[in-house]
Amino acid sequence: MSQLRSTVQVRFSYMRMKYLFISWLVVFIGSWVMYVQYSTYTELCRGHDCRKIICDKYKTGVIDGSACSSLCAKETLYFGKCLSTKPNNQMYLGIWGNLQGVIKCQMEEAARLDFGTDPEPRKEIILFDKPTRGTTVEKFKEMVYSFFKAKLGEQGNLSELVNIILSFADGNKDGRVSLPEAKSAWALLQLDEFLLMVMLQDKEHTPKLMGFCGDLYVIERVEYTSLYGISLPWMIELLIPSGFRRSMDQWFTPSWPRKAKIAIGLLEFVEDIFHGPYGNFLMCDTSARNLGYNDKYDLKMMDMRKIVPEMNLKEMIKDRPCESDMDCVYGTDCRTLCDQSKMRCTTEVIQPNLAKVCQLLKDYLLRGAPSDIHEELEKQLYLCIALKVSANQMEMEHSLILNNLKTLLWKKISHTTDS
């Protein structure tokens, strides 16, 4: 009997030690994960540093802009919730008096199209070095015109674009562009997203620019900041397999007529940047997190940093050394071929914007689609995905498929309240 009792006690002690060890291990791993997440957060969310850099430049008279006084003197513009996904691109919800917006601030120089390399650290001394003291407005206009010509090529209406930039640069609307305002405008022009926003300010699917200070700018807030999905606490995110998460995201979407309206907006945006008045732009990251929509289910582009001028991309990738096609990728979606005979990247992007957008929309639109258009919708989406830039009559096919998709979706929702 005593031997049995001893055996039970030994087993009990063993089980207790086992559970204590497991509990300690769970606490250790949990603490480590929380430390890593905290470290990541402090690296991602550096709004205080961003504001200090900008305001120091403003207070010393180096830069100026429509948001500078509110940010640095009156303090009526302040940083809210951190939305940053990369340390070099700080993004926050912003409160500006009675208005809400999104503040974007560059903590490093704008990434050059280096295909896989990290952007260089921000160079404080030379970031706002142009234009120099003594530069006239006419000389500044020439600088901007030459910049556009190099970036966008020979476009007939570049002079009109220059005038738009000068009008925006006049932050206090006194009819003249001061040197600090010109320095801010020049810094902002180095950012592809800002440049595209200015060019498309009259388009429905581009968030409105509210103001700027240096290379910090404020855009309108959009209610829904991803095409689909649900935001979960990071601890739960760690436990969900990526495949299941993608399927789960599709459950948290608007009703199908509203999805169709959002999709039409995205197709219209593709039209806006396809051989528009300032040339062709390429969408090099067509992920759901870069797209949003408002409470009327109108599409709004949330992140346009990876939408670049076609001419600019071709110039950067031309004769780039490569061993395989994988070496000829910018962002996630702009791919060219590797010429094995020369071991150099070719300049022609394989897929047009429309094909990449249709790939994104395929599951989004087919899930819950009305049975009477499901088959035709699927057919048009697969025809769209198969589009290639090198195909004969690509532009005609592009226009035909895009119009077919818009017509098919619009006919189905035009009589509903969601339209």
Side-chain angles (χ1 to χ4, degrees):
M1 187 72 176
S2 59
Q3 186 177 3
L4 179 60
R5 187 179 298 124
S6 298
T7 304
V8 170
Q9 288 176 342
V10 168
R11 285 185 177 178
F12 179 74
S13 299
Y14 171 75
M15 293 295 290
R16 186 168 58 180
M17 289 296 294
K18 179 180 177 181
Y19 284 120
L20 280 172
F21 174 75
I22 292 174
S23 300
W24 174 86
L25 190 62
V26 168
V27 170
F28 174 79
I29 294 173
S31 301
W32 179 80
V33 170
M34 289 181 68
Y35 170 77
V36 170
Q37 290 293 323
Y38 176 76
S39 299
T40 302
Y41 178 85
T42 54
E43 180 65 21
L44 282 177
C45 301
R46 299 164 59 194
H48 175 77
D49 295 336
C50 179
R51 183 181 180 280
K52 184 178 186 305
I53 291 169
I54 292 295
C55 289
D56 283 350
K57 296 292 184 184
Y58 168 66
K59 290 173 181 177
T60 54
V62 176
I63 60 173
D64 200 356
S66 54
C68 288
S69 176
S70 298
L71 179 69
C72 306
K74 299 176 182 176
E75 296 188 357
T76 54
L77 169 61
Y78 60 91
F79 290 73
K81 179 183 176 183
C82 177
L83 304 174
S84 308
T85 57
K86 292 185 178 179
N88 66 310
N89 189 64
Q90 295 291 295
M91 188 160 65
Y92 292 80
L93 289 180
I95 310 297
W96 195 350
N98 296 325
L99 301 175
Q100 292 189 338
V102 174
I103 301 172
K104 295 195 173 189
C105 179
Q106 315 307 309
M107 288 301 293
E108 297 175 2
E109 285 192 328
R112 298 179 177 85
L113 306 190
D114 285 342
F115 300 84
T117 61
D118 293 326
E120 296 176 11
R122 174 176 178 151
K123 297 180 177 63
E124 292 289 338
I125 298 173
I126 66 170
L127 180 60
F128 300 111
D129 65 334
K130 294 180 181 179
T132 55
R133 186 173 297 278
T135 302
T136 64
V137 173
E138 286 303 315
K139 183 64 177 175
F140 181 58
K141 288 175 72 172
E142 290 176 15
M143 283 175 59
V144 176
Y145 185 90
S146 298
F147 173 81
F148 286 151
K149 187 176 178 181
K151 199 170 186 71
L152 304 173
E154 291 282 1
Q155 306 291 336
N157 44 8
L158 289 185
S159 296
E160 180 184 337
L161 183 57
V162 171
N163 290 331
I164 292 172
I165 292 298
L166 261 67
S167 175
F168 183 83
D170 181 14
N172 57 7
K173 302 303 175 188
D174 62 354
R176 56 182 290 273
V177 178
S178 66
L179 181 62
E181 287 173 335
K183 286 179 181 287
S184 292
W186 185 257
L188 286 167
L189 286 178
Q190 313 311 309
L191 309 175
D192 284 325
E193 179 178 58
F194 176 82
L195 177 58
L196 192 58
M197 277 188 173
V198 170
M199 286 192 265
L200 299 177
Q201 270 300 281
D202 61 336
K203 301 297 183 181
E204 178 184 0
H205 309 298
T206 306
K208 300 306 177 189
L209 283 162
M210 297 170 62
F212 70 98
C213 184
D215 59 352
L216 174 151
Y217 55 103
V218 188
I219 62 174
E220 69 170 307
R221 182 180 178 181
V222 178
E223 284 80 359
Y224 302 95
T225 56
S226 182
L227 187 62
Y228 51 72
I230 184 172
S231 178
L232 296 173
W234 60 266
M235 287 184 289
I236 297 177
E237 289 273 12
L238 291 173
L239 303 175
I240 301 176
S242 58
F244 179 72
R245 179 63 208 259
R246 284 193 296 272
S247 299
M248 188 177 73
D249 281 341
Q250 294 289 348
W251 303 340
F252 295 93
T253 58
S255 63
W256 190 87
R258 289 171 172 171
K259 287 195 293 184
K261 185 180 181 183
I262 295 166
I264 290 171
L266 182 53
L267 294 172
E268 288 173 346
F269 180 78
V270 170
E271 282 184 296
D272 290 340
I273 64 172
F274 181 65
H275 295 307
Y278 304 112
N280 190 27
F281 282 74
L282 300 174
M283 299 173 71
C284 296
D285 186 359
T286 49
S287 59
R289 67 179 180 273
N290 293 337
L291 312 172
Y293 55 93
N294 61 20
D295 55 1
K296 296 180 180 178
Y297 300 92
D298 298 316
L299 176 97
K300 296 289 183 180
M301 298 300 298
M302 294 302 303
D303 190 338
M304 299 196 290
R305 284 175 298 152
K306 287 293 191 292
I307 301 178
V308 297
E310 181 179 29
M311 176 182 168
N312 206 202
L313 182 64
K314 285 185 173 182
E315 188 63 31
M316 293 300 297
I317 200 172
K318 182 176 65 177
D319 296 328
R320 182 175 179 80
C322 62
E323 295 182 1
S324 70
D325 293 345
M326 294 301 295
D327 297 321
C328 304
V329 181
Y330 174 66
T332 56
D333 296 317
C334 285
R335 302 171 181 272
T336 72
L337 298 174
C338 179
D339 185 341
Q340 294 294 330
S341 64
K342 300 177 181 178
M343 303 301 284
R344 291 289 186 272
C345 293
T346 58
T347 59
E348 203 67 55
V349 174
I350 299 169
Q351 271 191 314
N353 293 333
L354 184 58
K356 293 177 279 192
V357 162
C358 286
Q359 182 67 57
L360 175 67
L361 290 175
K362 179 170 68 69
D363 292 338
Y364 186 72
L365 284 176
L366 290 178
R367 184 183 180 87
S371 57
D372 58 329
I373 68 163
H374 191 284
E375 184 177 347
E376 180 62 20
L377 179 59
E378 186 174 31
K379 173 187 171 184
Q380 291 297 328
L381 285 169
Y382 276 106
L383 285 172
C384 178
I385 292 169
L387 278 173
K388 300 291 182 187
V389 170
S390 58
N392 293 330
Q393 300 181 320
M394 191 280 291
E395 290 195 20
M396 186 182 297
E397 290 180 17
H398 183 285
S399 298
L400 181 64
I401 292 173
L402 192 148
N403 287 329
N404 285 346
L405 278 168
K406 284 173 59 181
T407 302
L408 183 65
L409 295 171
W410 187 249
K411 278 185 177 180
K412 195 63 187 174
I413 68 168
S414 58
H415 62 284
T416 67
T417 56
D418 294 313
S419 63

